[in-house]
Amino acid sequence: MDPILLFHSLIMGLVEGVTEFLPISSTGHLILTGDLLNFLSKEKRDVYEIFIQLGAMLAVVWEYRAKIGKTLAGAGKAGGERNLLLGIIVAFIPAAILGKLFSEHIKAVLFNPIAVSIAFIVGGLIILWAEKRQHTVTIETVDDLSLKDALKVGFCQCLALIPGTSRSGATIIGGMFLGLSRKAATEFSFFLGIPTLGAASLYSLLKHRHVLDSADIGIFAVGFISSFIFAFFAIRALIKFISTHTFIVFAWYRIAFGLIVLATWQFGWVNWAA
């Protein structure tokens, strides 16, 4: 096994784990990092990037295992637990349908560093707008989220089909627009990521299994484990951060990062794939 390739896989897993649940787009960062590292062939890298999301998803499951267990145990009776479970299912449906219908076309057209950098900038401006407007909280906890509002958050998640938009950013900021508290919007985004990332990863593996072989096991395993570890710490850090801060720092990061990519492309400083 090539140690350089394994090291690159470790870096890709780190990028996925740190960025998956922050409103800065894990897909966008993976595209840019993968291009810089010249990591794997494009078809194999596409499968790899989706697969290692499973590691990040499992970090949520582990961190919220008590809440998830309580929710599943209470699914058979009326109350907040059943309400949350149904809300996750309802919110998952729009992205599942639209992803199935349009994801391949979107990948062919928009999965490149320039399109991603533009999405970074636009997303940053939207976060600034969301944070500058008055935020009236009507939903304090995820258990209080109605099915109607959960469906609206689900449609917000569909924006993340555009690479660079950020699934977490779309659902968190969308949730805040709908009246969720920062903590409720963030936690619902975490929970919604479980079926979304899980289904996307398994579907991609089954559909593109022909491009994989036994030599890929080590590379995929390193990325998966790295993603799990760094996502675990990123989740805890984000929950602690939003208790005393807004998302404005992520907005400025997105804008600055997008401008840097555009500048390096324009002046030929980095040979970004296009």
Side-chain angles (χ1 to χ4, degrees):
M1 188 67 66
D2 185 350
I4 299 298
L5 197 55
L6 290 177
F7 179 66
H8 286 173
S9 182
L10 175 67
I11 294 175
M12 293 287 284
L14 183 156
V15 171
E16 163 62 25
V18 169
T19 61
E20 179 60 53
F21 299 106
L22 302 182
I24 56 175
S25 176
S26 62
T27 300
H29 280 80
L30 286 173
I31 291 173
L32 299 175
T33 305
D35 278 354
L36 282 176
L37 296 175
N38 194 26
F39 184 69
L40 301 177
S41 64
K42 186 180 187 307
E43 188 175 18
K44 187 172 291 188
R45 192 205 303 173
D46 288 345
V47 181
Y48 170 90
E49 289 174 355
I50 295 176
F51 173 75
I52 63 174
Q53 291 177 343
L54 276 175
M57 179 207 73
L58 287 178
V60 171
V61 173
W62 179 254
E63 177 65 11
Y64 285 93
R65 59 193 182 279
K67 175 66 174 177
I68 293 171
K70 183 180 178 182
T71 299
L72 294 175
K77 57 183 179 180
E81 288 78 18
R82 185 201 290 181
N83 186 67
L84 174 58
L85 186 60
L86 291 176
I88 293 170
I89 294 171
V90 167
F92 166 70
I93 292 173
I97 295 174
L98 294 181
K100 173 66 175 175
L101 293 175
F102 301 112
S103 63
E104 293 301 323
H105 179 69
I106 291 172
K107 283 182 180 180
V109 176
L110 296 177
F111 267 55
N112 63 78
I114 306 309
V116 168
S117 65
I118 292 172
F120 264 95
I121 295 169
V122 172
L125 294 173
I126 291 174
I127 293 175
L128 286 178
W129 174 45
E131 287 289 11
K132 293 298 182 181
R133 67 191 288 274
Q134 183 177 356
H135 180 209
T136 302
V137 176
T138 58
I139 303 168
E140 286 287 353
T141 71
V142 290
D143 293 333
D144 300 325
L145 187 65
S146 70
L147 294 184
K148 181 179 179 181
D149 285 335
L151 181 61
K152 291 178 182 178
V153 175
F155 278 111
C156 291
Q157 180 173 241
C158 295
L159 295 172
L161 291 171
I162 302 171
T165 299
S166 170
R167 189 200 66 81
S168 295
T171 51
I172 292 172
I173 301 303
M176 289 173 58
F177 271 114
L178 294 170
L180 277 72
S181 66
R182 280 192 181 83
K183 184 176 181 181
T186 302
E187 288 188 342
F188 190 72
S189 177
F190 289 166
F191 296 142
L192 183 54
I194 295 173
T196 303
L197 301 180
S201 298
L202 295 176
Y203 175 76
S204 180
L205 280 176
L206 288 173
K207 183 176 181 180
H208 300 287
R209 60 186 182 277
H210 62 280
V211 306
L212 305 175
D213 54 54
S214 58
D216 298 319
I217 294 176
I219 299 169
F220 276 58
V222 168
F224 178 93
I225 295 170
S226 175
S227 173
F228 173 87
I229 293 172
F230 287 102
F232 175 77
F233 289 109
I235 290 166
R236 290 194 167 186
L238 181 59
I239 289 296
K240 183 177 181 180
F241 178 85
I242 63 172
S243 65
T244 54
H245 297 80
T246 69
F247 289 105
I248 287 178
V249 64
F250 297 113
W252 287 117
Y253 170 83
R254 290 179 63 105
I255 293 169
F257 195 81
L259 289 173
I260 289 171
V261 173
L262 285 177
T264 55
W265 167 72
Q266 178 65 36
F267 295 106
W269 297 335
V270 177
N271 184 27
W272 299 108

